[in-house]
Amino acid sequence: MELRVLQYFVAVAREQSITAAAQALHLTQPTLSRQLRELEDELGKQLLVRGSRKVTLTEDGMLLRRRAEQILDLVGRTRQEVMRPDGAVAGDVYIGAGETDGVRQLARAAGQVQQRHPDVRFHIVSGDAADVREQLDKGLLDFGVLLGDIDRTRYRYLPLPMKDRWGVLMRRDSPLAGQPSVTPAQLWDKPLILSRQADNKGGLYHWLGREPGQLRVVATYNLIFNASLLVDEGLGYAFALDKLINTTGSNLCFRPLQPPLSAGMHLVWHKSHALSKAAGLLLAQLQAQLSGADGLPQDGATQEGLP
């Protein structure tokens, strides 16, 4: 399977037309059609349904499109890094993170690196722990911010000092809104909206003292803003981390859990994937911040001493 043919396939999937894709690629339509047929023959799968007006993807075609886009993106990033002049620091750093106020610490470090190296660009990819781990393992992310326990056999990591506090997002007219905090028993009979992250929910069930089947779980979420809309419409009470939703002037309020429940976090990167110069600078700057060191780290900063 050649990269060139993957580029052709992605172009057809994007244009939904072999004719339009051929024009964009500066190929003849017969040439492009032949390449696509050979790709299907190579894989032993039908990838395209050729209609009279447009081309649609089969289920296998949709899978190949996702994988091809990831492969082409990774190849492009690698080419840029390898071809960069010696001594130059530029390029893209990809960070996967869930919704957490702890990203502020990374943002501060990224800002200082970018001031010194304006050709370094940072990309935050939002997702829950499962999404972040999957993309780390595929090499699509340089770093991930993970809450709770991490797989120390797979990832190198830097413990972050911030802890996120769990609580309940609710309407101000809810029966529990008048309480300064919320206890497990007060939620046993309430409609609950939970984060879909298994790691966090495991600790949450332990805090609640109930098994999932004993609770009224009416919805799950992976983006708290969407969950806040469900709460605002009266669907239930959402377990959420503090400082993510600004409840000032809204119908909503946040109440912490009692006894308190918090989640520690780590910056992680895959042991088998070498960091680019730009990613290494971000890591070094973050280490300097956490150690209280003044100024920016030198370009030659290393990962020595990290687990």
Side-chain angles (χ1 to χ4, degrees):
M1 195 186 317
E2 299 181 23
L3 289 176
R4 172 178 51 83
V5 178
L6 289 181
Q7 291 174 327
Y8 295 168
F9 175 75
V10 169
V12 171
R14 181 175 57 248
E15 299 290 343
Q16 296 184 325
S17 165
I18 294 178
T19 301
Q23 292 174 348
L25 294 167
H26 305 291
L27 297 172
T28 65
Q29 182 176 342
T31 298
L32 181 56
S33 295
R34 185 181 70 255
Q35 295 281 358
L36 295 173
R37 291 287 187 189
E38 291 176 356
L39 178 62
E40 289 179 316
D41 290 342
E42 178 184 351
L43 297 176
K45 296 284 186 177
Q46 181 180 358
L47 303 173
L48 304 169
V49 178
R50 298 159 175 81
S52 58
R53 291 184 175 272
K54 70 175 185 177
V55 171
T56 57
L57 299 181
T58 64
E59 184 175 348
D60 291 314
M62 289 186 285
L63 173 61
L64 179 61
R65 178 181 182 175
R66 289 196 298 271
R67 296 292 184 261
E69 289 174 339
Q70 292 170 348
I71 291 169
L72 294 173
D73 177 66
L74 190 57
V75 168
R77 289 167 53 190
T78 303
R79 181 181 292 115
Q80 289 178 355
E81 292 172 0
V82 172
M83 295 177 64
R84 190 171 300 121
D86 292 341
V89 180
D92 300 278
V93 179
Y94 289 81
I95 306 165
E99 295 171 299
T100 167
D101 192 57
V103 172
R104 289 182 182 273
Q105 189 85 46
L106 281 174
R108 191 173 302 120
Q112 295 194 26
V113 170
Q114 215 275 331
Q115 286 178 11
R116 188 179 181 186
H117 302 282
D119 291 330
V120 174
R121 295 176 297 274
F122 296 92
H123 307 273
I124 297 293
V125 181
S126 297
D128 61 20
D131 296 329
V132 172
R133 285 193 295 263
E134 179 182 4
Q135 293 188 69
L136 277 170
D137 293 345
K138 291 178 179 177
L140 301 175
L141 294 176
D142 298 292
F143 299 107
V145 178
L146 297 178
L147 303 180
D149 295 333
I150 60 172
D151 185 351
R152 289 168 170 79
T153 65
R154 181 177 298 180
Y155 305 116
R156 295 188 182 277
Y157 60 92
L158 177 65
L160 301 177
M162 305 79 72
K163 287 187 178 294
D164 276 334
R165 179 177 64 164
W166 281 95
V168 179
L169 193 66
M170 63 185 77
R171 287 177 57 98
R172 292 187 184 276
D173 57 5
S174 300
L176 300 181
Q179 305 290 329
S181 58
V182 179
T183 65
Q186 291 174 321
L187 295 169
W188 287 345
D189 62 345
K190 300 294 189 295
L192 304 179
I193 302 170
L194 303 182
S195 164
R196 74 170 186 168
Q197 296 191 63
D199 293 344
N200 291 333
K201 286 196 295 185
L204 200 56
Y205 292 138
H206 179 75
W207 180 87
L208 283 164
R210 288 289 186 274
E211 294 298 323
Q214 298 175 298
L215 299 169
R216 290 181 59 196
V217 179
V218 297
T220 63
Y221 71 90
N222 69 332
L223 294 174
I224 186 57
F225 177 76
N226 291 335
S228 73
L229 300 181
L230 300 182
V231 175
D232 197 26
E233 291 299 323
L235 190 66
Y237 297 76
F239 278 89
L241 298 174
D242 198 4
K243 301 179 182 179
L244 298 183
I245 295 293
N246 184 358
T247 59
T248 304
S250 76
N251 295 326
L252 306 179
C253 62
F254 179 89
R255 296 293 179 263
L257 304 183
Q258 186 56 243
L261 181 64
S262 62
M265 65 187 74
H266 298 80
L267 181 75
V268 305
W269 59 102
H270 207 285
K271 286 186 174 182
S272 64
H273 301 158
L275 294 179
S276 66
K277 288 184 179 179
L281 277 181
L282 176 64
L283 177 60
Q285 176 59 41
L286 185 58
Q287 288 178 283
Q289 284 181 191
L290 296 180
S291 66
D294 293 329
L296 288 166
Q298 298 300 310
D299 291 355
T302 69
Q303 304 169 35
E304 290 181 6
L306 291 174

